[in-house]
Amino acid sequence: KMIDIHTHVLFGVDDGPKTLEESLELLKQASHMGFKEIVLSSHYKVDRYENEKYAKNFNILKEAIKNHEIPIDIHSGNEVYLDIGIENHLPKTQNLKDSNYLLVEFHPMINMIAAQALINRVKKSGYDPVLAHVERYMNLTVDNLKKLKESEVIFQTNIKSVENIDRKLHWLLKNGMIDILASDTHRIGKRDYNFKDQLTEIQKIVGEKNLKKMISENPRTILNNGVIE
């Protein structure tokens, strides 16, 4: 059973779908791909996206999933943009399905000193950070990422990122540094669940057993608030 812990499928709350209909269309796609559970990890960014309509729209979508008989369970969550002072806002953010895990992201050009400091603040606040799309941070070298990994950060990569795979991402996949694969789905046609070829590509690099671990077993462990080895 595939589980997607990083999506922007919930309508009307961030830069994901504008309408309930588009959310449902994305969930049908996800189900068709073989996903059984999905975290609606809408952006949380101070002064921009702060979960204003999250609970209301979540419940509307949940009801619509039932009415349309889409065989998918949805869970709450956020993708939290880390910036100075974020620790003051963390109580207002949502963990991944009530676990201790929090999906976080940096500015794409962040340096290692700032990255480590922000991760430390998240951990000091009592959360286990899952770093979204690790392949995106241009200034973080493999050595930097190894150090972050040593401080018990869970690494997630976007499935479609293998379309333009670089040496760094290839190395991270090949050497078992990536814990979670997720879609980071946003909109129909823009960034959706059309990535069968990319999954095949990843399987060639990591093998079938590791692919299953990254898209099924490890996400399950996170939602169950377990420990990823």
Side-chain angles (χ1 to χ4, degrees):
K1 290 181 178 179
M2 296 202 294
I3 299 170
D4 194 357
I5 68 156
H6 181 181
T7 81
H8 301 271
V9 169
L10 184 60
F11 69 99
V13 291
D14 61 5
D15 57 348
K18 297 281 175 270
T19 63
L20 172 62
E21 289 69 31
E22 191 176 1
S23 285
L24 291 169
E25 198 52 49
L26 286 166
L27 288 170
K28 284 174 192 166
Q29 268 193 2
S31 174
H32 191 66
M33 276 291 294
F35 286 93
K36 298 292 179 196
E37 294 180 60
I38 286 196
V39 178
L40 305 179
S41 58
S42 305
H43 287 292
Y44 188 98
K45 189 173 185 181
V46 177
D47 296 333
R48 188 171 180 198
Y49 302 120
E50 294 193 6
N51 288 335
E52 286 92 349
K53 295 179 185 168
Y54 189 100
K56 184 186 170 195
N57 290 10
F58 185 96
N59 290 329
I60 291 169
L61 181 57
K62 196 166 190 172
E63 193 59 32
I65 289 168
K66 208 160 72 182
N67 294 339
H68 286 77
E69 297 179 346
I70 302 169
I72 274 187
D73 288 327
I74 56 170
H75 308 295
S76 57
N78 277 140
E79 178 187 15
V80 182
Y81 183 86
L82 299 185
D83 215 339
I84 293 163
I86 189 63
E87 61 273 23
N88 304 319
H89 297 269
L90 289 177
K92 294 180 276 183
T93 66
Q94 305 192 66
N95 303 17
L96 298 170
K97 195 206 167 189
D98 305 323
S99 70
N100 218 38
Y101 290 97
L102 189 70
L103 184 67
V104 299
E105 68 170 334
F106 298 132
H107 186 282
M109 302 310 287
I110 196 159
N111 62 43
M112 181 55 183
I113 292 167
Q116 190 69 70
L118 288 168
I119 287 294
N120 291 347
R121 287 177 188 199
V122 171
K123 289 174 79 72
K124 205 174 168 186
S125 301
Y127 301 90
D128 295 321
V130 178
L131 182 57
H133 38 61
V134 291
E135 67 279 1
R136 279 197 196 165
Y137 309 111
M138 315 296 286
N139 297 326
L140 299 184
T141 64
V142 164
D143 283 343
N144 292 156
L145 292 172
K146 280 182 187 169
K147 284 204 175 77
L148 283 178
K149 202 100 174 71
E150 281 160 19
S151 59
E152 296 177 349
V153 178
I154 302 297
F155 283 178
Q156 178 258 313
T157 203
N158 287 1
I159 294 162
K160 281 198 174 180
S161 61
V162 296
E163 279 179 350
N164 304 302
I165 193 164
D166 59 13
R167 277 170 62 191
K168 183 163 82 173
L169 179 55
H170 193 279
W171 190 92
L172 292 170
L173 285 165
K174 193 84 184 154
N175 288 275
M177 292 277 284
I178 303 298
D179 304 291
I180 306 274
L181 289 172
S183 73
D184 193 7
T185 294
H186 274 68
R187 306 286 308 270
I188 290 283
K190 182 186 172 219
R191 212 187 297 166
D192 57 19
Y193 282 95
N194 180 22
F195 47 64
K196 208 171 171 185
D197 294 347
Q198 288 80 12
L199 278 179
T200 305
E201 197 55 44
I202 293 170
Q203 185 168 314
K204 282 180 196 165
I205 299 167
V206 302
E208 192 179 345
K209 193 179 162 198
N210 288 325
L211 179 71
K212 192 181 171 196
K213 207 171 183 181
M214 292 190 283
I215 207 160
S216 183
E217 291 164 19
N218 285 348
R220 162 64 54 227
T221 299
I222 281 180
L223 298 189
N224 289 343
N225 204 28
V227 178
I228 288 179
E229 296 304 327

